[in-house]
Amino acid sequence: MDLSLTEEQRLVQKTAADFARNEVAPLAAELDRSHRHPKELVARMAELGFLGIAVPEKYGGAGLDTVAYVLALEEISRACASTGVIMSVNNSLVCDPILKFGTEEQKERWLKPLAAGRMLGCFALSEPEAGSDAAAQKTLARRDGQGWVINGVKNWITNGPVADVCILHCMTDPPGPERGHKAISSFILPMNLPGVRCGPPDRKLGIRASQSCQIFLDEVRLGPEHLLGEVGQGFKIAMTTLDGGRIGIAAQAVGIARAAYEDAARYALQRRTFGQPIANHQSIQWKLADMATEIDAARLLTLQAAVLKDRGVRHTKESAMAKLFASEVANRAAREGVQIFGGNGYVEDYPAERHFRDAKITEIYEGTSEIMRMVIAGAILKE
Ligand code: CAA
């Protein structure tokens, strides 16, 4: 597979790296401590075209591709994992399904402002009792003339408290054992409708500046123009969307792993024990060597999945592999980063403990590592 970057992709990578270093990194510790939504960084990402990177320009996007998207996302997540996931959700889980399944009217009405960053989106699939088992939806859209009335609760919705629009998945028929995932449909839900209410932001272990919450839907009325795709197509829309989303989370994980590794490598050259920098000790060198090797491998898997997505080839297995591996690499790198920092890794004065906390979620959201292994096994056993 040819993974050489085009001029344009390199330019996006450099622009993202400059933005991340000069504007995102200086705020990351404060954002983490205050759990504050980085409104100013989201506005800058909109200006830079980072909120709809792979969306064609005619729909408000940057008109680039998934490879450019993962390159930018890695750089931004290297500086701040919270800012990274805000960007990832808007691109992968909101713009992408509207681009793929939306009507022309929906693209004009919703995709344009979302891709241009004039609106921010969220994606609601999970429920209190439907996380890994995504088909076990209880939220129900009942028919009301041509439209729908929706009731239910959605959980852990990233960007929920700050979103203008939600890609909502729920049952559209009375759920029954014989219908299962075929009764799920997707909707474009404006968050300011009567009956839509956000719970308080979740108090989280990591990615604390990325706000998430429960969304309560109480007799929410939607016209037929809000249906995304066809009735009963919602589970496939959600799964296809997550095939792309997992590439984004893999890129975010590579960014976190790089942060842990680069910070630890710099520290190891400065910190001295037994009369020399700890980087001279083999025990530290081996840790750094493993971190660097795994990060390259994780990035290659991520780029492979991105290239397949750009070619229009099904990438369910490859994106699951990329997310599984990259998220586990992020957690190993963050753990070793804390170890290299020693006592300084355990206190808030240094960023190592933030990377350690931020890494964990990458093994959980958009499909846990256990679900990734199920998806990969399901695919390879069919090959
Ligand atoms: N692409 C297209 N179609 C797919 C698909 C995919 N990737 N995966 C499954 N399907 C289709 C299947 O082909 C099947 O269709 P047919 O009936 O026509 O054959 C149908 O969907 C049902 O498939 P399964 O029988 O495999 O479904 P399942 O109920 O066993 O579930 C699962 C499969 C992989 C476990 C799925 O439930 C899953 O991915 N769970 C994890 C959910 C998840 O990732 N949640 C994340 C929430 S979003 C989030 O975290 C966002 C955030 O805030 C950042």
Side-chain angles (χ1 to χ4, degrees):
M1 178 172 283
D2 179 12
L3 290 172
S4 54
L5 301 181
T6 64
E7 193 85 350
E8 208 169 35
Q9 289 162 345
R10 281 186 195 286
L11 185 64
V12 173
Q13 188 180 38
K14 181 175 178 333
T15 307
D18 291 344
F19 166 64
R21 189 176 49 252
N22 299 331
E23 300 179 56
V24 183
L27 295 183
E30 180 264 311
L31 290 170
D32 174 65
R33 268 195 290 275
S34 62
H35 298 226
R36 179 172 72 78
H37 171 68
K39 201 174 171 194
E40 67 278 40
L41 297 179
V42 175
R44 282 287 292 137
M45 289 197 289
E47 279 171 19
L48 293 167
F50 289 167
L51 293 179
I53 294 189
V55 174
E57 287 173 76
K58 70 170 178 162
Y59 297 126
L64 298 166
D65 55 16
T66 316
V67 169
Y69 164 58
V70 301
L71 295 171
L73 188 49
E74 177 188 322
E75 295 300 331
I76 290 165
S77 302
R78 188 260 172 264
C80 172
S82 297
T83 307
V85 74
I86 295 168
M87 169 182 165
S88 171
V89 166
N90 200 71
N91 276 275
S92 294
L93 300 189
V94 180
C95 289
D96 203 42
I98 303 179
L99 179 64
K100 218 173 274 153
F101 300 100
T103 61
E104 266 316 301
E105 291 72 31
Q106 288 172 335
K107 289 177 193 171
E108 282 294 320
R109 173 76 185 85
W110 303 109
L111 183 56
K112 272 190 171 177
L114 283 161
R118 292 195 299 280
M119 284 184 174
L120 196 66
C122 65
F123 175 91
L125 177 67
S126 301
E127 298 188 353
E129 291 172 67
S132 289
D133 185 4
Q137 298 282 309
K138 291 206 171 121
T139 297
L140 176 65
R142 66 170 198 272
R143 283 226 183 248
D144 177 47
Q146 292 298 300
W148 308 89
V149 178
I150 305 179
N151 285 283
V153 182
K154 292 290 171 179
N155 254 45
W156 310 296
I157 307 305
T158 304
N159 289 352
V162 288
D164 304 288
V165 181
C166 175
I167 303 298
L168 172 75
H169 309 276
C170 62
M171 289 289 175
T172 33
D173 268 322
E178 73 288 355
R179 297 297 312 276
H181 60 264
K182 290 198 165 63
I184 295 171
S185 302
S186 305
F187 296 90
I188 303 175
L189 170 77
M191 291 292 284
N192 61 0
L193 285 188
V196 179
R197 182 172 66 81
C198 288
D202 299 325
R203 302 292 293 178
K204 295 187 291 203
L205 173 72
I207 56 161
R208 290 178 168 172
S210 150
Q211 299 198 344
S212 61
C213 66
Q214 285 192 303
I215 297 179
F216 299 93
L217 304 162
D218 180 16
E219 293 286 292
V220 178
R221 288 177 185 279
L222 280 183
E225 71 280 10
H226 289 271
L227 180 72
L228 182 64
E230 288 164 23
V231 174
Q233 203 190 358
F235 192 74
K236 288 203 179 168
I237 292 177
M239 290 300 117
T240 313
T241 301
L242 284 165
D243 284 347
R246 289 165 185 162
I247 304 175
I249 300 307
Q252 183 204 24
V254 175
I256 298 170
R258 245 184 73 198
Y261 160 71
E262 289 172 2
D263 291 353
R266 198 173 318 115
Y267 183 81
L269 290 166
Q270 291 159 5
R271 175 77 177 175
R272 297 176 72 84
T273 58
F274 308 106
Q276 53 186 321
I278 61 171
N280 288 357
H281 303 313
Q282 195 178 52
S283 58
I284 302 295
Q285 291 176 357
W286 285 15
K287 286 188 198 306
L288 292 171
D290 285 348
M291 287 157 97
T293 305
E294 290 197 346
I295 289 167
D296 269 12
R299 185 183 298 108
L300 287 169
L301 279 176
T302 306
L303 285 170
Q304 169 181 258
V307 166
L308 291 179
K309 183 167 190 293
D310 284 335
R311 287 186 190 160
V313 175
R314 182 152 176 186
H315 48 278
T316 303
K317 179 187 76 179
E318 289 79 5
S319 62
M321 285 177 164
K323 182 187 180 286
L324 171 65
F325 189 72
S327 62
E328 295 193 347
V329 166
N331 278 275
R332 279 196 290 275
R335 194 180 61 231
E336 292 295 43
V338 170
Q339 196 66 19
I340 291 171
F341 273 83
N344 282 331
Y346 205 70
V347 292
E348 288 181 1
D349 310 20
Y350 291 85
E353 62 85 33
R354 171 163 54 88
H355 306 323
F356 183 78
R357 288 185 289 104
D358 285 349
K360 186 61 208 171
I361 190 62
T362 63
E363 291 179 326
I364 297 173
Y365 59 16
E366 299 201 30
T368 61
S369 294
E370 291 73 15
I371 293 292
M372 293 306 95
R373 288 187 166 89
M374 269 174 63
V375 170
I376 296 163
I380 56 181
L381 293 172
K382 269 193 226 147
E383 283 172 1

